Structure formats: structure tokens, C-alpha cells
Amino acid sequence: NAGVMQNPRHLVRRRGQEARLRCSPMKGHSHVYWYRQLPEEGLKFMVYLQKENIIDESGMPKERFSAEFPKEGPSILRIQQVVRGDSAAYFCASSPPGRAETQYFGPGTRLLVL
Amino acid sequence: DAKTTQPTSMDCAEGRAANLPCNHSTISGNEYVYWYRQIHSQGPQYIIHGLKNNETNEMASLIITEDRKSSTLILPHATLRDTAVYYCIVRVDSGAGSYQLTFGKGTKLSVIP
């Protein structure tokens, strides 16, 4: 059973470009969570999605950030017009229905904005 | 979710038991204690959780005091691969509608050869 997969593992963007981060949950998991970890800091929750629904986006910045989890395919975290402050590790996690406390994390995508 | 307090860092000799404390004096009756760890450059990994009884699995043991105001994660025979940041998280069960995990600064455990 493959774990949570994220790609790319590393992403370099120039200021003003778009970043698209992908996450495939574990088999059988229909709940996806995105977290951001700034350098030397702990993980911060961003958004929680189920298939085709955003359940909780209380941690998402109001502008430039969006997330989706379509019926088919991976979950996507999209950052438009990136700025240097967006440089961070972005982790995706998944859980089976009803077990949000036991989240399985992917290896993360490290975004560097030049 | 209740606030937790953990030491910033700890050392442990390889092969010895690592005992990581966590204070959660404001924990409420329906809140569980969860432990995750993050090995350098990897995503966090679930270790164990409990409500009031002590718990054990293949990775670790969790000892929760009778008043539930503190707990200890025990790695019985620490190896170099256990070097990581360990996070103690207190939260209600997801059935109560809470989904996010709140990570503090954790304890950086260094296992020394």
C-alpha cells in the first residue's frame, strides 16, 4: 500500500509565477489536509478537503492560495503570483473517513521562490 | 485544543529508553493526547495516542498520569533513526468536528551513539 505521494519534491519559482503542488492520498483515504512549514517553524494547518469539497480552509491565506480535490486525480494546492515569503515546505496528509486525528503525511514539496 | 509544553531538546544514548515528557495541565475530559514525530526533511509520522489509559504499540508506549495533566512518550530502545522532533498534541476526537492538527515546537530528540 503506497503512502501519500507528493510531487514535485522540489519546486523553484521566480516571483510572480504560479506554483502547483500535487498530492495523491493513500489508497482508501478520501480526506486530504495541507500544511505549511516555514523554515525553523512548526507545521501550520492550511486546508482540509474531501472529494470535490473544501471542508475547512481556515488556515489558508485569503489571497493567491487555492486548493482543490477533484473527483478524479490528485489534490492540488495552487499558489498564484508567488512571493519570497511563500518559500516553505508544503506537506499533504490523508486520513480515512472519521479518523482525522490519525493523519498520514507525504514527504512534502519544498518550494523556493527566487 | 489544550496547550502543551515540551522541553526544547533532549539527548538519549543509543539503546537506552528515551522518555519524552509533555505537560497539558488544561486538558479537558474529551481531549486525547497524540504524539507525532518529524525526522529531518520528512513529513510527520503518527506514533501513538491515548485518552486516559496507558497505551503501547510497536513504536512506543504512552503513559498518561491519573489526573491527565501530563504524559510521557517512551521509546524503549532508542536507535539513531529515532533522532527527530517529537510533537505532543492534545485535541478532541475528530467526531467532534475538529480536523486540524496543531503542531507546537516539539522536543528535538538526539540519539547519541
Side-chain angles (χ1 to χ4, degrees), chain A residues 8-28:
Chain A
R9 294 291 305 276
H10 300 272
L11 182 61
V12 180
R13 285 288 179 265
R14 297 191 180 279
R15 282 179 296 170
Q17 291 184 320
E18 178 180 287
R20 292 172 72 89
L21 288 63
R22 287 175 291 276
C23 169
S24 296
M26 287 181 68
K27 186 177 181 181

Side-chain angles (χ1 to χ4, degrees), chain B residues 14-63:
Chain B
E14 187 179 16
R16 296 294 187 107
N19 297 286
L20 293 94
C22 179
N23 287 322
H24 31 79
S25 58
T26 60
I27 192 170
S28 57
N30 63 344
E31 288 183 311
Y32 288 70
V33 180
Y34 290 85
W35 284 84
Y36 278 75
R37 73 179 181 183
Q38 187 175 22
I39 296 170
H40 183 61
S41 297
Q42 297 183 22
Q45 177 188 24
Y46 165 81
I47 300 173
I48 198 167
H49 76 281
L51 181 63
K52 54 183 178 182
N53 297 321
N54 297 338
E55 302 287 344
T56 296
N57 63 20
E58 65 278 3
M59 289 184 68
S61 294
L62 174 61
I63 308 298

